[in-house]
Amino acid sequence: MKLTSYWLDTSIPFSGGAEGPVQGRYDVAVIGGGLTGSSAALALAKKGARVILLEAETIGHAASGRNGGMCNNGFAQDYGIMSQRLGHETADRLYRAFDAGVDTVERLVAEEDIDCSFARVGKIKLAAKPEHYDKLARAQDLLAAHVDPDTEMVSRANLASEVGSGRYYGGLIYRKSASIHIGRFVRGLAEAAARRGVTIHERTPMIGLKPAPGGGHVVATSKGDVTARQVLLASGISQAGPLGWVRRRIVPVGAFLIVTEPLPVDLLDKLTPRRRNAVDTRNLVNYFRTTPDNRLLFGGRARFAVSNPASDEKSGAILRAALNDVFPALRDARIDYCWGGMVDMTRDRLPRAGERDGVYYSMGYSGHGTQMSTLMGTIMAEVMDGRAELNPWKDFAWPAIPGHFGKPWFLPLIGAYYRIKDRFQ
């Protein structure tokens, strides 16, 4: 069993990186080489900007290369609750932004000829309890009436046509969602940006950021300094650099995944007949999908803990037990991959993007990053070109989380709270 991301292990490493010292003047410095940073750098270069991208590790190393490879429309929250809280008009606008995110991924895959197995397979949200099915049905009624007629309920009696498991009580289908080989996608975006002239330095963390004399910013790294007229923070939960303001507003939450050995096609036809992305309704969520080479990926919030090799193995054992519960037929299947990653979670589980003290930022995707980070990278290129009205999150305040100063000391308490909620709700 490899304690590494299946997506990164089965994609070609990024090859377009720059060598030598970090120096010079640029129109834009992008901090972070995940989906937000790579898509933003690509979009900015297409607009004629001179761009440098600085990545602390390697392209796609963090959340962008460690997730479930799901490109789902719809947000995590119940649509009805979001409509009550924000109003139907705002809720619908945000919902359509996630639709646009999936469309943006599909467009970039085609435009840049990225071989990443993009497929509009749809998503099914599975009711973990009978009462959860009723809640999903109410949400689907509202979705169909207001913003997404391409949704549909599946009863427990008909669920075998979607998922070969007796664990669930029906589900809600979102037909616009897609699956993707996320490692090939994020690295493909960075290669496309490099082809268009973006200077990309891997293993180059930002260690300082200050205003430059005469305007712009000086970005300091261990390999030298650059001056940029604009800076975009696409750094997620990064602990590198002077990002204290961000760290007080984002909770890094571990997400853990396992991937089986390649499975017989006839077995997968019984377990996931339509190859949809699947996610359940628990707070300590589980999700699963097939991979392009016929494995089953199974993930979730196994533990509210940080990701490291020891933590990943413990979480993998929990996920293995959950996989056996959902799919008893896989009890003897070999697990080939087990890994973890950190999700940049905001307090309300909605992204944040904007500008502060002359520095732009986009992050906080809260587990829905594939589509929203790619969309926001392209949008931030427009925002930085004077079109702030295109930012769907421009009117959302972003106060610091009380008692949070960068290290998530409270994660075990959150985990215990959600375990109790899952037991009684």
Side-chain angles (χ1 to χ4, degrees):
M1 184 176 70
K2 295 183 178 182
L3 294 176
T4 189
S5 165
Y6 162 82
W7 306 118
L8 298 180
D9 194 52
T10 58
S11 57
I12 299 172
F14 173 67
S15 62
E19 301 293 338
V22 174
Q23 59 188 6
R25 301 184 67 88
Y26 293 85
D27 295 316
V28 182
V30 177
I31 312 302
L35 290 168
T36 304
S38 296
S39 59
L42 175 60
L44 287 160
K46 287 179 177 179
K47 294 171 71 68
R50 187 163 185 252
V51 183
I52 186 170
L53 186 153
L54 304 172
E55 164 54 43
E57 296 291 342
T58 57
I59 295 297
H61 171 82
S64 294
R66 295 176 176 272
N67 57 59
M70 297 182 180
C71 186
N72 292 331
N73 73 309
F75 31 59
Q77 299 87 339
D78 178 87
Y79 173 77
I81 293 175
M82 289 289 284
S83 296
Q84 292 173 8
R85 176 181 149 207
L86 302 174
H88 272 299
E89 183 177 344
T90 299
D92 290 356
R93 176 172 56 81
L94 297 182
Y95 190 98
R96 292 190 178 100
F98 282 90
D99 287 353
V102 183
D103 294 341
T104 299
V105 171
E106 185 174 39
R107 174 179 61 80
L108 288 172
V109 167
E111 288 179 355
E112 304 304 330
D113 193 24
I114 301 174
D115 179 14
C116 60
S117 302
F118 179 92
R120 292 266 191 171
V121 295
K123 176 186 78 172
I124 183 166
K125 192 164 190 178
L126 295 162
K129 295 182 179 181
E131 56 269 30
H132 292 184
Y133 180 86
D134 297 334
K135 185 177 180 180
L136 288 175
R138 292 192 295 271
Q140 194 274 329
D141 284 343
L142 290 172
L143 284 170
H146 289 276
V147 73
D148 195 348
D150 294 327
T151 53
E152 176 187 352
M153 292 300 298
V154 179
S155 67
R156 189 177 194 187
N158 295 322
L159 194 58
S161 65
E162 294 287 341
V163 177
S165 172
R167 176 66 183 79
Y168 300 108
Y169 297 87
L172 167 56
I173 294 173
Y174 298 78
R175 298 192 180 280
K176 298 172 185 173
S177 297
S179 63
I180 192 171
H181 190 301
I182 200 67
R184 294 175 187 162
F185 179 57
V186 64
R187 287 169 164 172
L189 280 178
E191 296 284 7
R195 287 195 301 269
R196 283 173 170 77
V198 177
T199 301
I200 299 178
H201 286 270
E202 295 183 298
R203 296 183 176 87
T204 308
M206 176 182 70
I207 59 176
L209 178 63
K210 63 182 181 181
H217 310 269
V218 175
V219 181
T221 80
S222 59
K223 299 178 182 179
D225 299 351
V226 295
T227 301
R229 182 171 55 85
Q230 294 177 310
V231 172
L232 172 64
L233 298 180
S235 45
I237 58 95
S238 176
Q239 298 299 301
L243 301 174
W245 185 85
V246 169
R247 293 187 193 116
R248 291 191 294 273
R249 287 157 173 79
I250 283 181
V251 178
V253 175
F256 302 92
L257 303 96
I258 55 176
V259 173
T260 69
E261 63 183 314
L263 301 172
V265 173
D266 59 348
L267 177 57
L268 288 176
D269 287 343
K270 295 176 183 177
L271 302 182
T272 60
R274 302 180 188 276
R275 304 297 193 268
R276 297 201 199 279
N277 301 332
V279 58
D280 70 22
T281 54
R282 300 188 309 160
N283 291 290
L284 296 178
V285 63
N286 284 135
Y287 50 86
F288 54 88
R289 55 156 292 188
T290 57
T291 66
D293 57 351
N294 294 326
R295 304 170 187 265
L296 191 88
L297 176 149
F298 194 91
R301 308 277 186 267
R303 300 164 62 243
F304 270 71
V306 298
S307 173
N308 57 52
S311 180
D312 293 353
E313 278 203 274
K314 290 179 182 179
S315 299
I318 295 171
L319 290 173
R320 176 78 216 218
L323 172 65
N324 293 345
D325 179 51
V326 174
F327 294 122
L330 297 181
R331 187 172 298 273
D332 296 326
R334 186 180 70 240
I335 302 299
D336 282 353
Y337 291 89
C338 172
W339 76 93
M342 304 304 292
V343 176
D344 50 338
M345 196 81 70
T346 61
R347 193 176 183 183
D348 60 4
R349 300 186 69 185
L350 293 175
R352 292 297 190 277
E355 176 268 331
R356 177 180 179 269
D357 294 340
V359 175
Y360 294 85
Y361 60 88
S362 183
M363 58 192 71
Y365 304 116
S366 303
H368 288 69
T370 298
Q371 63 282 1
M372 186 50 64
S373 60
T374 307
L375 174 70
M376 288 309 301
T378 61
I379 284 180
M380 291 309 292
E382 298 296 331
V383 170
M384 297 169 78
D385 199 23
R387 302 197 64 190
E389 75 280 2
L390 296 180
N391 178 9
W393 312 104
K394 61 183 176 61
D395 296 325
F396 284 75
W398 200 10
I401 298 171
H404 179 38
F405 301 100
K407 292 187 177 181
W409 57 269
F410 42 76
L411 284 184
L413 299 177
I414 296 175
Y417 169 72
Y418 281 133
R419 279 190 290 273
I420 293 171
K421 286 192 72 174
D422 279 335
R423 179 174 297 181
F424 295 106
Q425 290 186 358

